[in-house]
Amino acid sequence: MEVSSNISIRNTFHIPAKARTLITYGREDVEELVTYLQHEGRGQKMLHVGSGSNLLFMGDYEGIVLYSDIREISTCGEYVRAGAAWEMDDLIAWTLQI
């Protein structure tokens, strides 16, 4: 898990914006993330995003941005379950290969 403060946040339209706090986490960080949010995140607004989010920030985000870097993928019958870090084009390409 990586915690950054006052950092530029990527958005689809390239309008400059910063997050007061950006937390990047993977599957192995979930317990640490929960503990952090129970203490440091209490009462703060939060926005949970993945790699394919279409975001339009018109200014800085005064809260915690949670960025999921989970890239796991699995299938069950006709269903595909993909982590939030998959971009749609890559996910579609992967499904066409199975």
Side-chain angles (χ1 to χ4, degrees):
M1 184 174 92
E2 182 180 329
V3 179
S4 305
S5 298
N6 197 31
I7 190 163
S8 291
I9 46 180
R10 182 177 85 181
N11 69 74
T12 305
F13 298 96
H14 305 290
I15 296 172
K18 291 185 176 188
R20 182 170 25 132
T21 305
L22 172 68
I23 300 174
T24 302
Y25 71 95
R27 166 78 59 210
E28 66 282 353
D29 302 316
V30 171
E31 286 184 36
E32 182 183 5
L33 175 64
V34 169
T35 300
Y36 179 92
L37 294 177
Q38 288 173 337
H39 296 94
E40 305 296 325
R42 187 162 249 145
Q44 294 188 52
K45 62 181 187 173
M46 294 179 215
L47 177 65
H48 205 160
V49 301
S51 184
S53 296
N54 291 324
L55 303 173
L56 176 56
F57 287 98
M58 297 302 293
D60 295 346
Y61 186 77
E62 293 300 323
I64 298 173
V65 175
L66 302 168
Y67 172 72
S68 171
D69 195 25
I70 297 175
R71 299 178 188 276
E72 297 170 353
I73 192 164
S74 62
T75 59
C76 181
E78 64 216 31
Y79 296 98
V80 174
R81 182 177 180 165
W86 277 84
E87 292 189 20
M88 186 59 72
D89 289 347
D90 295 336
L91 179 60
I92 291 169
W94 185 90
T95 61
L96 293 173
Q97 293 176 358
I98 59 171

